[in-house]
Each structure stands twice: as structure tokens, then as C-alpha cells.
Amino acid sequence: MPNSDPQTRQRPGPWPPAPSSDTKPMPPSSWAKKTGFKPKFSGDANASDSGHITSQPKPKPKEPDSNVDLEAGQARAPAQPNGVAKVPPLPPSKDQVVKKRRDSDGVPKSSVPSTNGQATAAAPEPPPPPRRTARHEEVVDALPQSVDNDEFVSRHSHMKYELRDSPGLVPIGVYGVQHYVSILGSLILIPLVIVPAMGGTHEDTSAVVSTVLFVSGVTTLLHTSFGSRLPLIQGPSFVYLAPALAIINSPEFQGLNGNKFKHIMKELQGAIIIGSAFQTFLGYTGLMSLLVRLINPVVVSPTIAAVGLSFYGYGFPIVGTCLEIGAVQILVVIVFSLYLRKISVFGHRIFLIYAVPLGLAITWAVAFLLTEAGAYNYKGCDISIPPSNMVSEHCRKHVSRMKHCRVDTSHALKSSQWFRFPYPLQWGTPVFHWKMALVMCVVSLISSVDSVGSYHASSLLVASRPPTPGVLSRGIGLEGLSSVLAGLWGTGTGCTTLTENVHTIAVTKMGSRRAVQLGACLLIVLSLVGKVGGFIASIPEVMVAGLLCFMWAMLTALGLSNLRYSEAGSSRNIIIIGLSLFFSLSIPAYFQQYGISPSSNLSVPSYFQPYIVASHGPFRSKYGGLNYFLNTVFSLHMVIAFLVAVILDNTVPGSEQERGVYVWSEPEVARREPAVASDYELPLRVGRIFRWVKWVGL
């Protein structure tokens, strides 16, 4: 066909107007030409000794398959010196392509990871797929999913519902509930960690969980309507967990006894409100659209990965307190998400989609049966008696197993109310200290970096084009407002885009904005039922730790998956990523171990000792607040990873293709294309009021 010829496809079509005045969508080839993109058939770079990318030999127009091996995903070796003529192989059939992608369950070998969301300018297969198809296939197949049938070929991006799809109330409701259930672990696990660390009771944990669900539903509605408008769930991000634990374990809170939970919560609220106001300022002033030029996959990848790796000291030490329950929890989730991921029931991959809630339910049932069977009953021992008051050595020996393995030690479900409405300032008036607020300002910047990667990846799955820098700034600004609401309501953390959204969208194949909005409404209703929060608060601690091991490992992998947009084989990128990850672990370890002896701070559990660095860090000037800020910030793994990566990526020479520079939609192009305008324009004609604010819109 003439359209399969790469040279012919670059010529003007039957419409002669110049591209600048063309009202039709900009073809991928011209967009790729504008960004200087050079298509390749593999994410492995042809790097020279200096780390720069060498250009690929241009294939002959009439023999596009002669220099490209679609199965290997890279250029074939040159002809042998014996002079034997090479016969170009026949292109694979449609059934072979579908079968290959179905079996691989990974990146399709004919995809172009370095395109960063753009279609290739010269595809070797005739005829080339539509621009949007190539862009979506690359991202979706890079995530844990595969194709069930020939729908891969007929349905571009093999998404069941895309951004503006609205198939009906029942399908939207079903998929909305599915979307939230699949991401349940990210919504509920953080309160189960920080509330006990603050000295809160089971009733306090239940109230915080209900508040988190309520704020998550409200902020998700706001973000999908007036933020980036992408189907991204807002919730308590793991980015805020480490700084929250650092504030909780501050020296001034160690001696508190009465009302310790409310006092620390008010301190957290004040720090979150100030930090979120800074994030709002970054977004709505347009500064984020300038900072985003420094944020690329080589920066996003180690930053997010460091968030997951930073909690290695918390996960398995808690699991080890009851190994037969915690290890089973981890193994069940691994079996569901990996070994049984291709099993489909009524067209749904229930084991892959619901790995976390199914694993929790099964492990909880096993623990309940063991408890009822008397496996953790010891003669003459009572779990309600403090260990210090136990006379019997036999009871003191088994008190840890009784505390962590039994599932009937929590009374959160019984003591929780049937109806409870979360309201602002429910814990009291927030307390503001500038040293803690500055820590949260830095954390809000890291959270914005996390969201930039989520915006780009999710837009490639469900939208017609990536958002413009103005839409990105608008989304970051609204995330700041969402975290301000979280601070006022008292969730203990900020409320931002959850990184796990991208994986959930790819696995569930559901990208409908209306489905996420309906699910948010259901989440608000559930938050008003106090027994729901009480039920979640009664999850045993060892099971929470087992789920967190899986969630943090998934977060690390999702962070590293951003490298698919760059040249992953480039020596430049390899060295930058390696340095960022190593120093993100080594430098915080120096701060955390400085001036501390193995026998000190026995009142703090070993898994919380990395977060008491403010009391013994290397910065010891006469300004106590400055010492607190510097010691705390440099003990956060994600901050070190971000600083190392952003400095090296923006100073070490490298091409845009090698770096995988994010390509955002141009505002002029977005305004010309009705599909892009429908994806990102604000509803109810709100956008017309702020049409003059160019940096927060189309």
C-alpha cells in the first residue's frame, strides 16, 4: 500500500494548507519531528562508549522488514561477508501477533518504549496502526496485563472504557466499585500505621479511617471535575508517610502521656496545611509548568522507587512477629497477582485485580480459625494483662504471639458507632510550627513529582493526548487544595494522586471518568457508616505489614517502570539511576545512625528508630529549628533520590530521546482539537471565566 511507505507518509496529503493552520489533528510524524524524536524498535539503546545514542540505519522504503527483526525488537545484524543475499521475511500474520502478545504478558517486542507517548514516524509493518493505538499499546502492555482475544486488534489500547465513555449506570457502578476495591490497600493502610504510632486507640484508628475515606471521595470528585480531569483517585499517599513518622517521633513528643494522639495530630494538621498551601501556590501560579521542564522519567523513576524502598525496615520485622500469618499473607498475594493473574472469571481477571483484598480476606479467615481453635491460648495467660505485670515466665515468653497472632484483641468494630460524620477540626485547632511546615513543603514538591509521572502515564492510557503544561499545573494546584482539606479534616497525611492508579487502570482496563466519580460518591457514603471504619481498624497489625510489603514493592516497581520512556540501556541513564538509588539509601543511613548507640532510644521500636533523627543528626548549630529541618529532610530517602537525579539529569549532556523527555501537548494544538478540549476543559463553562489564566488551562 502507498501509505505504508515511510517517505510517502511524510508528504502533504490532499489538503495543502500548512500544518500551523491545519484544523485536523496533528499527525504523529510531525509531532515527532517537532520534538526531534527518532524512532527505534527497542528500549535498549545503541550507546557508544560515551553513552550517547547512535543513529539507526534507515531502512529501504521498499523493504521495510529487511533490517528489522520484529521478534527480537531490534535491528538485525549486517549481511555476512560471504555475499549470500538476504531474503526479507514475510511480516507476521495477525493471529501470530495476537498470540505473541497474549503469551508474553509484558512489553510487546514491536513497541517503542522510547517514544514517550508518541507514535512512530516510520513503522515497519504495513499498514501502520492509528496514532492513538500505538501510543496506548506501548504503555498498557508495559504493565502487568495481557490480551484475552482478538479485541487487542480491533479495540485500540484494549481499554474497555476510556476517559469520556459513559456506557450506562450499571456498568459504570460496577467498574467504579471494582476500581476502588482494587486500590483499597493504598487507601486504608496508612492510618493503620500512623495512628498507633501516635498513641491512638482502636476507636481513634476507626475515626481516622472513616475520615480518610470521606476526604478521598470528596477530593477525587474535585480532581476529576476541576483538576487534571483524568480518572485518578486521590488519597493518602505513601510519600507523606515517612515525614509524618518523623514528626510523630520528634523529641518534644516523646514525654507526652495524656492526649498524645490529639496533640500530635494537631501538629501534623498544621504542617500539612502549610505544605499544601505551598503546593497550591506552585500549581495555580504556573510555576509548576516551569519546574516540569526539569522533571523527566530519569528523575521520576528513582524518586518514586525510593519511596517504596525506604520502608524496608518496617515491613518484614513486623511480619516476623507472627510468621505463620504474615508470611501466608505475602505468599497468597504473590500467588494471586503472579501465578493466577491470567485466570479470567466472567471476563474479569479477579485474582490480578483483587489480589490485595482477596489475600487479606483469606489470611484473615485462616487467622480467625486458628484463634478460635485455641492455637494461641496459653494456660494461665491473659492478653489483657500488661507484660510488665505478668508473673509467669511462660506467659511473658508467649505474650508477643498472643498480641500479634490473635484476631480478637481489637475491639474497634464493637466500639465504633453506626453513623459518624467526619467534620473539619474534629481533633482541635491545628498547631503551626515553621520547622515542621518546611519539611512538609519539601514533601509536597516530591508529591508533585510523583503526580507528574502519574498524569503522563494515565493520559497515554485513556486520553487523546497528554495534558498541556497548564492542565498539569491546574492539577497540581488542586492537589494542594485537596491536601489542605485533608489537613483541616485531620487525616494525618496529605491527599494526592495515588501512584497505583496507573497500574489499576491498565489492569482493570477501565478509564472512564464517570466511573471513578460514581465510585467516589459511594466511598463518601461508606465513610458515614462508622462500622466500616471499625471493621478496617480491626485488621491485625501483622496482616497490615504483610500487605504493605507487597504495596511498597509494587510502588518501587511502578517507579522504575517510568524508565520505559527513556533509553534504559544508555550508560548515562544507568549511572544516574544507580547513583540516585544508592545515595537515597546511603545518605539517609548516615543521618539516621549519626550519634546513636545500639542501646539508646529503647523506648522507640526498632522499626521507628530511623525517624528519630531530629534528636541526634549531624546538623547541630545554635538554631534548633534549622537543625530539625535539615536533619529530617536529609534523612528522607525520596528527597535524596530526587536531588541527585534532578541535578545529574539536567546537567549531564544527553539527547531528548535518550533522556526520555516528557512531551506535553501544546496549548495551541490542544485548543484546535475538539477531542483534547473535551478531555481537559473544565465543566459548567468554568474554564471560560479563567480563560485569561493561560498557565492553568488549555
Side-chain angles (χ1 to χ4, degrees):
M1 294 178 61
N3 289 337
S4 63
D5 193 338
Q7 293 183 351
T8 352
R9 198 164 55 246
Q10 294 177 1
R11 297 173 184 171
W15 294 275
S20 59
S21 59
D22 190 6
T23 56
K24 299 182 68 62
M26 182 178 292
S29 58
S30 60
W31 200 8
K33 184 186 301 181
K34 182 177 180 180
T35 58
F37 164 72
K38 299 178 181 179
K40 291 172 59 65
F41 290 94
S42 171
D44 298 332
N46 286 339
S48 62
D49 294 339
S50 62
H52 294 288
I53 305 301
T54 59
S55 59
Q56 289 281 350
K58 184 177 180 180
K60 296 180 180 180
K62 294 185 179 180
E63 295 180 359
D65 293 329
S66 59
N67 293 329
V68 178
D69 186 353
L70 294 179
E71 293 298 321
Q74 57 190 357
R76 283 199 182 92
Q80 300 297 327
N82 56 14
V84 179
K86 295 196 301 180
V87 180
L90 294 175
S93 63
K94 169 182 173 182
D95 296 335
Q96 291 174 340
V97 175
V98 173
K99 183 177 185 302
K100 189 71 179 177
R101 289 174 178 170
R102 180 187 301 119
D103 295 337
S104 65
D105 195 23
V107 180
K109 296 180 177 60
S110 59
S111 65
V112 189
S114 62
T115 57
N116 203 1
Q118 311 306 323
T120 60
E125 293 185 13
R131 168 180 59 82
R132 190 172 169 189
T133 305
R135 175 162 52 86
H136 285 307
E137 287 173 7
E138 159 201 333
V139 179
V140 174
D141 285 341
L143 297 170
Q145 69 168 6
S146 62
V147 184
D148 296 329
N149 46 42
D150 290 345
E151 184 184 12
F152 177 87
V153 178
S154 59
R155 173 74 171 175
H156 55 263
S157 80
H158 47 79
M159 296 289 293
K160 293 180 179 178
Y161 299 111
E162 297 183 1
L163 185 61
R164 287 175 281 117
D165 289 346
S166 181
L169 184 61
V170 174
I172 280 181
V174 171
Y175 281 102
V177 172
Q178 170 185 278
H179 199 77
Y180 277 86
V181 172
S182 63
I183 208 170
L184 185 64
S186 302
L187 290 174
I188 65 174
L189 294 180
I190 290 183
L192 302 184
V193 175
I194 64 173
V195 176
M198 288 189 284
T201 63
H202 295 297
E203 292 77 11
D204 295 328
T205 305
S206 173
V208 173
V209 169
S210 298
T211 304
V212 165
L213 297 180
F214 178 81
V215 173
S216 176
V218 172
T219 54
T220 300
L221 288 176
L222 290 174
H223 189 82
T224 53
S225 300
F226 304 104
S228 70
R229 306 217 69 201
L230 291 168
L232 300 174
I233 297 176
Q234 308 295 295
S237 173
F238 287 117
V239 173
Y240 283 89
L241 180 55
L245 290 175
I247 293 177
I248 290 170
N249 291 281
S250 296
E252 53 263 43
F253 303 146
Q254 296 300 320
L256 293 178
N257 292 320
N259 258 342
K260 179 180 179 181
F261 165 74
K262 288 189 176 181
H263 184 82
I264 299 179
M265 177 62 81
K266 290 187 290 185
E267 297 276 356
L268 276 177
Q269 286 181 263
I272 291 171
I273 290 173
I274 298 298
S276 304
F278 173 72
Q279 186 179 19
T280 305
F281 176 80
L282 283 180
Y284 284 124
T285 58
L287 288 178
M288 198 63 206
S289 61
L290 301 177
L291 291 176
V292 77
R293 301 175 184 176
L294 306 177
I295 301 172
N296 296 305
V298 180
V299 177
V300 174
S301 181
T303 303
I304 300 177
V307 175
L309 292 174
S310 61
F311 299 106
Y312 67 91
Y314 180 88
F316 207 82
I318 302 294
V319 172
T321 58
C322 186
L323 202 57
E324 64 268 29
I325 300 299
V328 168
Q329 174 75 85
I330 296 175
L331 290 176
V332 169
V333 176
I334 290 176
V335 169
F336 284 170
S337 60
L338 292 178
Y339 294 98
L340 303 181
R341 71 187 188 279
K342 293 186 179 182
I343 296 179
S344 180
V345 179
F346 300 111
H348 298 275
R349 299 196 170 191
I350 58 173
F351 294 107
L352 179 59
I353 297 174
Y354 305 118
V356 170
L358 280 178
L360 174 62
I362 292 175
T363 310
W364 206 347
V366 172
F368 176 79
L369 293 177
L370 290 175
T371 302
E372 292 298 316
Y376 307 113
N377 292 338
Y378 298 96
K379 186 177 180 181
C381 301
D382 188 357
I383 188 60
S384 61
I385 300 177
S388 57
N389 296 339
M390 290 184 178
V391 179
S392 171
E393 181 67 24
H394 172 72
C395 293
R396 286 199 298 268
K397 178 181 178 181
H398 296 288
V399 65
S400 177
R401 291 179 58 81
M402 289 190 297
K403 177 182 177 182
H404 294 98
C405 296
R406 297 182 66 93
V407 297
D408 57 355
T409 57
S410 173
H411 304 286
L413 183 60
K414 294 181 180 179
S415 60
S416 58
Q417 306 173 2
W418 276 103
F419 176 82
R420 184 183 184 278
F421 183 80
Y423 55 92
L425 307 180
Q426 55 187 331
W427 313 115
T429 305
V431 178
F432 300 94
H433 284 104
W434 70 268
K435 60 180 183 180
M436 299 177 184
L438 285 179
V439 172
M440 282 300 177
C441 288
V442 175
V443 173
S444 66
L445 178 60
I446 304 297
S447 173
S448 302
V449 173
D450 184 2
S451 299
V452 167
S454 299
Y455 289 176
H456 188 270
S458 60
S459 67
L460 300 183
L461 289 170
V462 302
S464 54
R465 282 181 184 265
T468 64
V471 173
L472 184 144
S473 293
R474 188 179 70 200
I476 296 299
L478 191 60
E479 283 192 17
L481 290 179
S482 299
S483 294
V484 170
L485 295 180
L488 291 174
W489 259 260
T491 61
T493 64
C495 195
T496 61
T497 297
L498 300 178
T499 311
E500 297 82 352
N501 271 292
V502 180
H503 174 261
T504 303
I505 293 174
V507 170
T508 61
K509 305 178 184 179
M510 195 288 302
S512 172
R513 182 162 52 210
R514 292 186 180 274
V516 173
Q517 290 173 337
L518 182 58
C521 295
L522 296 177
L523 198 67
I524 294 174
V525 173
L526 286 177
S527 69
L528 303 180
V529 182
K531 292 295 182 182
V532 173
F535 176 77
I536 295 174
S538 61
I539 300 176
E541 183 184 24
V542 66
M543 296 184 195
V544 173
L547 292 177
L548 284 173
C549 287
F550 179 81
M551 299 299 299
W552 287 330
M554 177 65 69
L555 183 62
T556 303
L558 288 174
L560 295 176
S561 69
N562 283 275
L563 290 175
R564 67 185 182 270
Y565 301 121
S566 65
E567 295 290 353
S570 165
S571 61
R572 172 193 183 275
N573 295 346
I574 290 174
I575 294 174
I576 292 176
I577 296 297
L579 289 173
S580 302
L581 290 178
F582 176 79
F583 284 117
S584 72
L585 298 176
S586 185
I587 293 179
Y590 165 74
F591 277 80
Q592 294 164 4
Q593 298 170 10
Y594 186 90
I596 186 173
S597 61
S599 60
S600 60
N601 295 292
L602 296 179
S603 60
V604 180
S606 60
Y607 45 82
F608 281 152
Q609 287 197 6
Y611 306 106
I612 59 174
V613 64
S615 61
H616 59 78
F619 287 103
R620 299 184 179 182
S621 67
K622 60 180 180 179
Y623 303 103
L626 181 62
N627 297 338
Y628 179 95
F629 169 72
L630 293 176
N631 287 326
T632 302
V633 165
F634 285 103
S635 69
L636 299 177
H637 303 76
M638 55 189 176
V639 174
I640 302 300
F642 171 73
L643 291 177
V644 174
V646 76
I647 292 174
L648 293 180
D649 184 52
N650 290 279
T651 56
V652 177
S655 65
E656 290 188 353
Q657 179 185 359
E658 185 180 12
R659 299 172 60 196
V661 174
Y662 284 137
V663 179
W664 307 99
S665 297
E666 294 291 339
E668 296 79 9
V669 177
R671 282 190 286 267
R672 280 204 311 266
E673 294 192 16
V676 182
S678 300
D679 285 344
Y680 299 112
E681 270 192 345
L682 296 177
L684 306 175
R685 299 184 178 181
V686 176
R688 296 185 179 182
I689 303 176
F690 301 99
R691 187 65 62 95
W692 58 276
V693 190
K694 301 295 184 182
W695 54 86
V696 291
L698 294 179

